[in-house]
Amino acid sequence: MDLLNTLVDKGLRRELPTREEALAVLATSDDELLDVVTAAGKVRRQWFGRRVKLNYLVNLKSGLCPEDCSYCSQRLGSKAGILKYTWLKPDQASEAAAAGLAGGAKRVCLVASGRGPTDRDVDRVSDTIKAIKDQNEGVEVCACLGLLSDGQAERLREAGADAYNHNLNTSESTYGDITTTHTYADRVDTVQKAHAAGLSACSGLIAGMGESDEDLVDVVYSLRALDPDSVPVNFLIPVEGTPLAKEWNLTPQRCLRILAMVRFVCPDVEVRIAGGREVHLRTMQPLALHLANSIFLGDYLTTEGQAGKADLEMIADAGFEVEGTGQVTLPEHRVTAGTGGGCGSHADAGCGSHEGGGCGPCGSAADEQAPAAARVPETARASEARTDLVAVRRRGAGTDLAPNA
């Protein structure tokens, strides 16, 4: 296809595709899917070889969030039967992180539900970062605490944080359909605060909330303009007890097209498959490794993920290798740019999993979802509800049971 040849050439040059080209990727047929994966895979291998970076989530504080993010099981008014607990102590968080690091993770993502941290919360997380780094040489730590106030990003940086995650989640024009308690601009501001403080910025999206192809392209182009080092791509986990529990709009094929589009628009950044890969990609997860160069190991914030051992076997069987702590994730031109480089050819800073909410506030009432759902292309409505694949996390952080890593 001329389209794919053009996109490969642009990706190898770190050149921004046109919006029409990005939309065309999402509109390709199932018969063309392997061609799309092959093309985007060439761009992925150019900048990241066959390495897969493993990240591990530690939910520092679960549930009881005052924000109303419609996708989130920890949201205000959530009826989801998730774990609820207050802040883990630094030694508890360090112990939880150790399981993921032993399983091959090189980055620990410290997440806490809530609108944003108080200064005391920043102190708590700073102590936790120190505890983890004192016991694990070379580990990367990403904080994900919600909306940041002035000076907090700098304090996290001084405490040893390497990165800060705050996802845009969806397009600016549809943001009001999923959130009432804060704005899209609030999220942009936090990503910019993290970047300005010298933290590696991590910001991504959630697909499957009822958005259109145009919405998906809008948010990915907004992310490229924000210039994060890492772009996590979440696929909505429709958790019972949340307003979006009935939204099953994704097929494995659509998920692969979305990942390919993100790779073409952001060719040289860490594209991470985050929450929902087991639920929506299912047996086609190995194909997604040809598009993304990063995944979460084990469980998510409030739901269970694929067994850590199965993740490692999948990576090896697909012909990829786990990225070591001594290897640099980003291409040299981004590292030497000082600020991390750009989400593409321009040079201007991950972690994210939507289902736990700690990446910041987001949401809206259930009756506000219909307008978004009406925009979903008919071709995206082919997926069956696989509620059997959604299991609430009952192990790891906040429990006495061993974690999945």
Side-chain angles (χ1 to χ4, degrees):
M1 295 173 63
D2 289 342
L3 167 68
L4 296 179
N5 290 333
T6 297
L7 288 169
V8 170
D9 289 343
K10 287 186 174 183
L12 299 183
R13 298 195 304 266
R14 296 180 286 136
E15 182 181 332
L16 181 67
T18 66
R19 286 181 55 82
E20 290 71 23
E21 289 166 342
L23 286 166
V25 172
L26 297 178
T28 53
S29 69
D30 287 351
D31 288 342
E32 299 165 317
L33 183 62
L34 287 181
D35 293 331
V36 172
V37 173
T38 298
K42 292 179 182 178
V43 179
R44 180 250 200 264
R45 288 192 300 277
Q46 165 73 17
W47 302 114
F48 299 97
R50 302 191 72 83
R51 293 175 285 115
V52 178
K53 181 177 182 177
L54 299 182
N55 310 267
Y56 190 69
L57 286 164
V58 177
N59 197 358
L60 296 178
K61 181 171 73 75
S62 182
L64 309 175
C65 181
E67 300 298 307
D68 66 352
C69 310
S70 295
Y71 55 80
C72 182
S73 58
Q74 303 184 82
R75 73 189 295 272
L76 179 68
S78 172
K79 294 179 175 59
I82 62 167
L83 292 170
K84 296 182 177 66
Y85 53 86
T86 190
W87 290 93
L88 298 181
K89 293 181 172 60
D91 60 333
Q92 294 173 314
S94 182
E95 182 180 354
L101 296 171
K106 64 182 292 185
R107 171 171 287 190
V108 174
C109 303
L110 302 175
V111 188
S113 62
R115 179 178 179 83
T118 65
D119 287 340
R120 184 182 177 191
D121 294 337
V122 173
D123 289 338
R124 287 191 181 101
V125 176
S126 296
D127 290 343
T128 298
I129 293 170
K130 185 177 186 303
I132 292 172
K133 291 212 161 188
D134 282 350
Q135 296 177 32
N136 301 279
E137 184 178 356
V139 65
E140 297 176 10
V141 176
C142 178
C144 181
L145 311 174
L147 300 172
L148 292 175
S149 301
D150 290 344
Q152 290 183 328
E154 286 78 7
R155 290 178 59 198
L156 290 168
R157 172 74 171 171
E158 290 169 5
D162 300 285
Y164 195 84
N165 165 257
H166 200 64
N167 296 329
L168 295 187
N169 289 330
T170 192
S171 67
E172 183 174 12
S173 63
T174 60
Y175 200 79
D177 293 336
I178 61 169
T179 294
T180 65
T181 49
H182 66 281
T183 67
Y184 181 90
D186 291 332
R187 285 189 171 266
V188 171
D189 178 67
T190 286
V191 177
Q192 291 173 335
K193 278 186 169 71
H195 199 168
L199 292 167
S200 176
C202 169
S203 189
L205 65 142
I206 305 173
M209 297 192 292
E211 69 284 334
S212 67
D213 285 358
E214 288 76 9
D215 292 323
L216 286 170
V217 170
D218 282 349
V219 69
V220 176
Y221 273 69
S222 295
L223 287 166
R224 170 153 174 158
L226 269 181
D227 209 16
D229 284 333
S230 175
V231 175
V233 179
N234 293 280
F235 300 110
L236 177 72
I237 302 176
V239 178
E240 288 297 326
T242 64
L244 298 185
K246 305 304 180 186
E247 293 288 334
W248 289 86
N249 301 315
L250 298 171
T251 63
Q253 294 83 0
R254 181 159 175 80
C255 291
L256 290 170
R257 291 187 193 96
I258 292 168
L259 287 168
M261 186 268 288
V262 175
R263 174 56 72 197
F264 285 130
V265 176
C266 296
D268 60 341
V269 305
E270 175 190 343
V271 174
R272 182 182 311 157
I273 316 172
R277 65 179 164 92
E278 299 89 345
V279 177
H280 296 294
L281 281 163
R282 301 191 287 276
T283 58
M284 295 179 75
Q285 289 181 67
L287 273 182
L289 296 177
H290 291 272
L291 308 170
N293 62 295
S294 180
I295 65 171
F296 280 109
L297 178 72
D299 290 337
Y300 300 99
L301 299 174
T302 65
T303 60
E304 292 185 357
Q306 183 168 280
K309 183 174 182 291
D311 286 337
L312 298 177
E313 290 175 348
M314 175 182 72
I315 291 168
D317 289 348
F320 293 87
E321 60 182 28
V322 173
E323 184 175 291
T325 55
Q327 294 176 294
V328 178
T329 301
L330 296 174
E332 185 178 359
H333 66 270
R334 289 184 62 88
V335 176
T336 56
T339 55
C343 179
S345 60
H346 59 296
D348 277 341
C351 113
S353 175
H354 76 274
E355 51 81 29
C359 306
C362 204
S364 104
D367 61 1
E368 292 177 317
Q369 301 310 315
R375 288 191 294 269
V376 181
E378 289 301 319
T379 54
R381 293 177 181 268
S383 186
E384 296 180 0
R386 290 297 306 271
T387 56
D388 59 307
L389 296 178
V390 181
V392 172
R393 180 175 68 83
R394 300 295 184 198
R395 59 196 176 194
T399 77
D400 295 327
L401 299 179
N404 170 29

